[in-house]
Amino acid sequence: MVSGIFNVSTSSSRELINITELVSAELAMNTISSGLLYLFNPHTTAGLTINEGADPDVRTDIIKGLSHIVPDTLNYKHMEGNSPSHLMALLTGSSLTLQIENSRLVLGTWQKIFFCEYDGPRVRTVNWKIIAD
Amino acid sequence: MVSGIFNVSTSSSRELINITELVSAELAMNTISSGLLYLFNPHTTAGLTINEGADPDVRTDIIKGLSHIVPDTLNYKHMEGNSPSHLMALLTGSSLTLQIENSRLVLGTWQKIFFCEYDGPRVRTVNWKIIAD
Amino acid sequence: MVSGIFNVSTSSSRELINITELVSAELAMNTISSGLLYLFNPHTTAGLTINEGADPDVRTDIIKGLSHIVPDTLNYKHMEGNSPSHLMALLTGSSLTLQIENSRLVLGTWQKIFFCEYDGPRVRTVNWKIIAD
């Protein structure tokens, strides 16, 4: 298995960033024709997801929806004040697994891979590992 | 690794469909005694999950709950009008990994595998790939 | 691939339990220097997640938040009365995949692995399987 890490710089407190090209670039550096690609977010106020990439309004609607679903104030005890961000991390999930066929990621027509920033802006990292066939 | 695709026809706008038999049928066509089975939903308004399969009321309660949690209207910008469906896709997740032991899926007593339709009815597809031991 | 099962005893109806040490102990019994560790929760009213482990207030805030997000009453039909717990299971997810490097789990500075009890107290089980390099 080959593995690596890349950085993602986020620019606002909450946003979805399309990292599909970053992920594909890591994959292109390794000659894996078939297998699985594992992606891991090592942060507790961020996540990884797959969703629509064509219309940028989808990702802003998702942030708007999550900010509505998760209450900003709720008698939270965590002193850092970012409990809503930790909740969004749980709702999103911290890792993804993707299929590799013919040296390319298998994604649906409208799907892109997103890094979900819920407590930025920050420089974040994403770990990856490939299980070759 | 062996891989494949199967179809799931959904019949309403939002529903959970038990696909455990479909998944088991794909597995039965391959002689894998031990390994992992990866399932992937290539759609942006659908998901995959594992939950109770015994009482059909659980899956209708889940749809009822999700429809309550995710607001139908929220000044969404995405013109297609299905931003709530994209949010449900994020909350659910787009892939599953299952354990194979003795040529069978490892599931808890009450667990079944569900395709989650959030913007149907449509004919959907599910991709799968097996990592054999 | 090596695999196994361990128990988690929960002590309240809803709580997050840090199982990182339990998971690491299973890993330590096997000499795997590089690979992936798959964890599976075979229960329909529980889940597995990764989140902050340093401040115990984070996990109680998460339970508080989930209990607010998922309505307790909503004309649910499931007679057992635990539909909110099934919803929390969907929102959380039932499995995790972790990276193993140098015989250790790859986790971020503040990350720990949590078993999420949403309908306890009970004695629960967690299945695991390792894909070695």
Side-chain angles (χ1 to χ4, degrees), chain A residues 34-36 49-52 55 57-58 61-62 64-65 68-69 91-92 97-101 106 108 110-111 131-133, chain B residues 1 3 38 40-44 69-71 74-80 83 86-87 89-91 94-95 127-129 131:
Chain A
S34 168
L36 290 174
T49 199
I50 293 169
N51 217 300
E52 196 199 292
D55 179 2
D57 284 342
V58 172
D61 283 354
I62 284 173
K64 193 182 294 181
H68 178 90
I69 291 165
L91 296 175
T92 306
T97 304
L98 289 143
Q99 193 178 341
I100 303 166
E101 301 290 348
V106 175
W110 307 107
Q111 287 182 321
I131 314 168
D133 218 340
Chain B
M1 298 182 194
S3 62
Y38 167 76
F40 180 66
N41 150 55
H43 310 285
T44 60
I69 291 165
V70 177
L74 191 72
N75 191 28
Y76 294 122
K77 298 297 182 196
H78 183 45
M79 295 295 283
E80 277 188 80
S83 286
H86 288 291
L87 266 157
L90 178 140
L91 296 175
S94 53
S95 74
N127 296 48
W128 59 266
K129 195 170 179 83
I131 314 167

Side-chain angles (χ1 to χ4, degrees), chain B residues 21-32:
Chain B
E21 292 305 311
L22 286 170
V23 174
S24 296
E26 299 287 328
L27 185 59
M29 287 188 288
N30 297 280
T31 319
I32 310 291

Side-chain angles (χ1 to χ4, degrees), chain B residues 34 55 61 64 97 101 133, chain C residues 1 38 75 78 83 129:
Chain B
S34 168
D55 179 3
D61 283 355
K64 192 182 297 181
T97 304
E101 299 290 347
D133 219 340
Chain C
M1 296 184 196
Y38 167 76
N75 192 27
H78 182 46
S83 286
K129 195 169 179 85

Side-chain angles (χ1 to χ4, degrees), chain C residues 76-95:
Chain C
Y76 295 121
K77 299 297 182 196
H78 182 46
M79 295 295 283
E80 277 188 80
N82 60 356
S83 286
S85 310
H86 288 291
L87 266 158
M88 290 177 190
L90 176 140
L91 296 175
T92 306
S94 53
S95 73

Side-chain angles (χ1 to χ4, degrees), chain A residues 27 30-35 100-104 130 132-133, chain B residues 129:
Chain A
L27 185 59
N30 297 280
T31 320
I32 310 291
S33 59
S34 168
I100 303 166
E101 301 290 348
N102 304 314
S103 305
R104 298 188 59 178
I130 292 171
D133 218 340
Chain B
K129 195 170 179 83

